């Protein structure tokens, strides 16, 4: 029997990447895997710009706190200023280019605008109220906290000494022109999509979606929506797998429930292998009399691995049928869920062309006792409590799906390990496993 680590290594060795790329709009790229590295044609930010609403000054012009400077221009985001006249300040807003000559921006909270000393010099374009269009005090902000709007031709008192470079975002401090922003094999999330857009990319080359066909063996299975007869159970694995497969960004081909006969299992397997890159099934992989999955794979293709020394989830089959990979998960709902997370997810991610496919585990303190040293590696369902420690779901049976919904992740228990409260244990959060 393979260990969990051996099984994972063997699966990743067998996971060929999907090569065919296609092009998608950046806005549709969520969950897709980048097929080629992306570089930036531009510098980001393109110009030195202000990180604050305030006043751009020359540090050398502000000899002491309390100095009064005339305001020589007003620069909004989207506008471009003129070189800063020596001995003056420029009213500036967040994101607006810093005018040549200015080397610091004082935030407006450190400045007091003053009405023009001589009304006759004020600009005729200024609204009569003194209000600058587009710069309205927010509701709830009093006149004492919100500096009065100011325009060129007015003055400002600078209450703090500016430091060179203060509140200036430098051109290129994020990205240099020509730099790689995203590597091939990156799974695209919201941040990566935003990054691509920030350098002006409208489309991205991504690997085509991996096709995953599923079927579910068991004469006892019924699709939710009809009442159960004695002996029947609902096919929950179908719904769990739908969430897991779709969550990875694969295309799911759902072939439904298959009865426990060799003929039906073979027919479903042949159909699935012809339709998909990967076939995943649940149930029928143990050594019971009604377990036909392994026999069907052996007949139509080959079985390369069977059984993994872990709990939950001992029976698990990997094989090939034609061009398709085959993975047979155990029927028990917790076993199917856990083995998918630990083995199938990294396998599918690599098949999708992703480079970062392994989950991370973290050391977390236990708030429970475990006194059942096992002969197999065990993955216990546990929840992170407000005290930062882990509580265990009371029923760790592989049929109790409630344990997975209740928990935040898996405690990875070594063979023979026991646990006392306060012990540091290896914890794999579901956030590492479910996307
Ligand atoms: P098997 O691996 O086929 O022996 O199934 C093991 C256990 O999992 C049995 O109790 C089955 O009833 C249950 N089971 C199998 N398939 C499913 C399924 N699709 N949904 C929920 N439970 C299942
Ligand atoms: Mg069965």
């Amino acid at each position: 029997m393979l260990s969990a680590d051996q099984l994972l290594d063997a699966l990743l060795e067998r996971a060929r990447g999907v090569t065919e790329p296609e092009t998608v709009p950046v806005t549709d790229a969520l969950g897709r895997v980048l097929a080629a590295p992306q570089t930036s044609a531009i510098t980001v930010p393109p110009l030195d710009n202000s990180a604050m609403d305030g006043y751009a000054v020359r540090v050398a012009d502000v000899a002491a706190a309390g100095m009064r400077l005339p305001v020589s221009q007003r620069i909004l985001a989207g506008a471009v200023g003129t070189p800063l006249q020596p001995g003056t300040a420029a009213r500036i807003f967040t994101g607006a280019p810093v005018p040549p000559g200015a080397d610091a921006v004082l935030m407006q909270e450190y400045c007091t605008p003053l009405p023009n000393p001589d009304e006759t010099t004020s600009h005729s374009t200024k609204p009569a109220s003194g209000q600058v269009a587009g710069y309205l005090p927010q509701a709830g902000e009093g006149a004492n906290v919100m500096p009065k709007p100011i325009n060129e031709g007015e003055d400002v008192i600078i209450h703090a000494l500016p430091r060179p470079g203060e509140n200036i975002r430098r051109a290129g401090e994020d990205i240099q022109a020509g730099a790689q922003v995203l590597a091939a094999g990156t799974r695209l999330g919201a941040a990566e999509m935003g990054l691509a857009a920030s350098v002006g990319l409208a489309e991205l080359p991504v690997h085509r979606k991996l096709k995953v066909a599923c079927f579910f063996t068991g004469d006892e299975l019924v699709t939710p929506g009809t009442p159960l007869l004695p002996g029947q159970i609902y096919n929950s694995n179908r719904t769990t797998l739908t969430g897991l497969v779709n969550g990875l960004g694969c295309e799911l081909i759902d072939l439904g429930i298959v009865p426990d006969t060799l003929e039906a299992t073979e027919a479903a397997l042949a159909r699935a292998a012809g339709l998909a890159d990967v076939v995943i099934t649940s149930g029928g992989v143990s050594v019971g009399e009604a377990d036909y999955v392994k026999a069907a794979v052996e007949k139509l293709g080959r079985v390369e691995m069977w059984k993994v020394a872990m709990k939950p989830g001992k029976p698990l089959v990997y094989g090939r049928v034609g061009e398709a990979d085959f993975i047979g998960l155990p029927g028990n709902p917790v076993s199917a869920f856990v083995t998918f997370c630990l083995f199938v997810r990294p396998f599918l991610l690599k098949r999708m062309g992703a480079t970062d496919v392994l989950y991370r585990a973290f050391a977390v303190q236990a708030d429970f006792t475990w006194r059942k040293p096992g002969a197999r590696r065990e993955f216990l369902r546990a929840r992170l409590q407000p005290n930062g420690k882990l509580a265990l779901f009371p029923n760790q049976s592989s049929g109790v799906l409630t344990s997975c919904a209740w928990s935040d992740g898996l405690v990875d228990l070594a063979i023979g390990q026991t646990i006392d409260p306060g012990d540091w244990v290896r914890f794999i959060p579901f956030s590492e496993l479910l996307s």
Side-chain angles (χ1 to χ4, degrees):
M1 210 179 336
L2 294 174
S3 72
D5 288 341
Q6 285 169 329
L7 175 65
L8 182 59
D9 288 349
L11 281 172
L12 291 179
E13 240 169 61
R14 286 162 174 78
R16 305 148 289 161
V18 177
T19 48
E20 310 101 279
E22 60 189 32
T23 301
V24 294
V26 173
T27 43
D28 292 345
L30 187 66
R32 305 299 295 268
V33 177
L34 200 59
Q38 300 297 302
T39 54
S40 174
I42 58 163
T43 294
V44 182
L47 296 169
D48 286 1
N49 68 90
S50 179
M52 291 284 171
D53 291 342
Y55 294 85
V57 297
R58 265 189 186 77
V59 171
D61 287 344
V62 187
M67 266 196 73
R68 179 173 181 149
L69 294 176
V71 177
S72 54
Q73 61 179 315
R74 181 167 171 275
I75 314 167
L76 288 161
V80 180
T82 55
L84 185 68
Q85 293 166 33
T88 73
R91 179 70 169 124
I92 195 164
F93 298 89
T94 306
V98 173
D103 56 4
V105 171
L106 249 289
M107 56 196 280
Q108 63 188 19
E109 287 80 351
Y110 295 143
C111 304
T112 307
L114 290 179
N116 195 295
D118 173 5
E119 268 309 312
T120 58
T121 66
S122 72
H123 289 226
S124 56
T125 52
K126 198 172 68 172
S129 63
Q131 192 80 55
V132 173
Y135 182 45
L136 300 169
Q138 302 297 301
E141 283 182 309
N144 54 341
V145 292
M146 190 68 174
K148 287 200 197 71
I150 190 148
N151 215 340
E152 57 268 44
E154 297 177 332
D155 286 359
V156 62
I157 295 181
I158 308 285
H159 296 293
L161 274 179
R163 284 174 288 108
E166 184 172 345
N167 294 323
I168 296 177
R169 302 165 175 160
R170 292 296 175 193
E173 75 175 25
D174 187 358
I175 299 160
Q176 297 287 335
Q180 179 176 304
V181 287
L182 293 166
T186 301
R187 286 182 78 205
L188 298 164
E192 289 78 13
M193 291 160 65
L195 181 59
S198 78
V199 301
L201 296 169
E203 296 181 325
L204 290 171
V206 296
H207 291 290
R208 76 158 167 83
K209 282 193 175 184
L210 198 68
K211 291 184 194 149
V212 177
C214 296
F215 64 88
F216 308 90
T217 72
D219 286 340
E220 72 279 31
L221 301 179
V222 173
T223 302
T226 45
L228 291 179
L229 298 176
Q232 295 183 326
I233 61 164
Y234 287 119
N235 177 9
S236 63
N237 286 347
R238 174 201 188 200
T239 304
T240 309
L241 240 78
T242 301
L244 291 167
V245 170
N246 285 339
L248 290 180
C250 299
E251 185 185 320
L252 181 72
I253 304 164
D254 183 354
L255 300 179
I257 296 165
V258 171
D260 284 323
T261 67
L262 183 59
E263 301 70 49
T265 309
E266 266 183 47
L269 185 58
R271 185 161 168 236
L275 290 172
D277 301 299
V278 181
V279 178
I280 302 177
T281 63
S282 89
V285 285
S286 337
V287 286
E289 276 176 30
D291 294 329
Y292 295 108
V293 169
K294 186 163 165 273
V297 177
E298 274 164 346
K299 198 154 168 215
L300 299 183
R302 61 178 191 272
V303 168
E304 297 189 15
M305 294 173 269
W306 181 44
K307 284 191 179 175
V308 51
M310 63 177 269
K311 203 176 160 188
K314 187 162 85 178
L316 191 140
V317 174
Y318 172 83
R320 291 284 297 272
V321 177
E323 279 305 298
D325 293 287
F326 174 84
I327 299 175
L329 300 176
N332 273 310
V334 176
S335 309
F337 177 74
V338 170
T339 52
F340 185 99
C341 291
L342 295 177
F343 305 111
V344 183
R345 177 183 175 275
F347 178 82
L348 291 181
L349 286 177
K350 188 157 175 219
R351 274 301 252 115
M352 291 160 64
T355 43
D356 188 9
V357 304
L358 292 177
Y359 53 82
R360 292 164 301 174
F362 301 89
V364 182
Q365 272 184 300
D367 214 3
F368 61 87
T369 304
W370 185 258
R371 284 271 161 270
K372 290 180 263 178
R376 282 182 276 161
R377 186 160 161 193
E378 232 168 300
F379 294 90
L380 307 173
R381 274 72 67 210
R383 179 189 264 194
L384 267 177
Q385 304 177 117
N387 66 4
K389 297 180 185 178
L390 292 166
L392 216 53
F393 191 76
N395 187 339
Q396 293 285 328
S397 156
S398 59
V400 176
L401 199 50
T402 315
S403 68
C404 297
W406 181 88
S407 296
D408 295 316
L410 303 171
V411 173
D412 179 356
L413 205 65
I415 294 168
Q417 188 179 352
T418 57
I419 294 171
D420 290 309
D423 285 357
W424 292 88
V425 297
R426 214 175 110 88
F427 181 64
I428 309 163
F430 285 143
S431 55
E432 288 288 316
L433 297 172
L434 294 183
S435 59

